[in-house]
Amino acid sequence: VNWNDTKKLANVKRSSNMGATTSKYSHSNNDFELAIRSSKELEHILDTEFGAQGKGLHEKISSVQSDLSQELIRNMRYLATIRNKLVHEHDFNAIPERAKFISKFDKSTVELQKAVEERRRARGARTTDACIIS
């Protein structure tokens, strides 16, 4: 995972454009783009760092939920639900609370990064503490 790209996606800047908030990564105020790119980024992290299985973000979260905090699971499920509604429900055409969506994405990427770093430290600790028999 390229955490610099994730940080770009999570790095939210406030826009004076009618009170909208935008992600630097999305380069637009398009809610569909924001929701889909956010979901794709989270799915990628879950796939590559946690070995998640499944078709979409909800399934991937379920496959690795034992490795995640309840708050992280709730935040990512919220994001997945909004994304799914945008894509699949005819009359759902905007993120209801855009700032809340971006905040939950930002919190999710930060917490995922911490979890990945903890996993890497734990693997490193196991490797250095291991007994080698030859």
Side-chain angles (χ1 to χ4, degrees), residues 26 34 36 54 57 61-62 68-69 78-79 87 91 97 107 111 115 131-132:
S26 71
L34 176 62
I36 291 168
L57 186 52
I61 293 166
S62 293
L68 309 173
S69 74
Y78 170 84
L79 299 169
V87 172
D91 292 330
E97 298 176 65
K107 288 176 184 175
E111 190 166 339
C131 176
I132 300 173

Side-chain angles (χ1 to χ4, degrees), residues 101-116:
F101 182 93
I102 293 169
S103 175
K104 286 185 178 285
F105 173 75
D106 187 31
K107 288 176 184 175
S108 295
T109 57
V110 168
E111 190 166 339
L112 278 174
Q113 181 177 3
K114 287 179 185 175
V116 167

Side-chain angles (χ1 to χ4, degrees), residues 40-99:
K40 284 175 65 174
E41 184 64 24
L42 294 173
E43 287 182 35
H44 176 73
I45 295 167
L46 292 173
D47 285 342
T48 58
E49 297 293 338
F50 294 87
Q53 301 293 310
K55 291 189 306 185
L57 186 52
H58 278 299
E59 288 183 16
K60 290 177 190 297
I61 293 166
S62 293
S63 75
V64 297
Q65 67 185 3
S66 64
D67 295 330
L68 309 173
S69 74
Q70 289 304 307
E71 180 182 4
L72 177 57
I73 292 168
R74 272 191 305 276
N75 284 342
M76 289 194 302
R77 287 202 185 280
Y78 170 84
L79 299 169
T81 298
I82 296 297
R83 179 255 176 226
N84 287 347
K85 286 183 175 190
L86 279 169
V87 172
H88 299 293
E89 292 184 17
H90 183 320
D91 292 330
F92 198 94
N93 295 306
I95 296 173
E97 298 176 65
R98 188 178 175 89

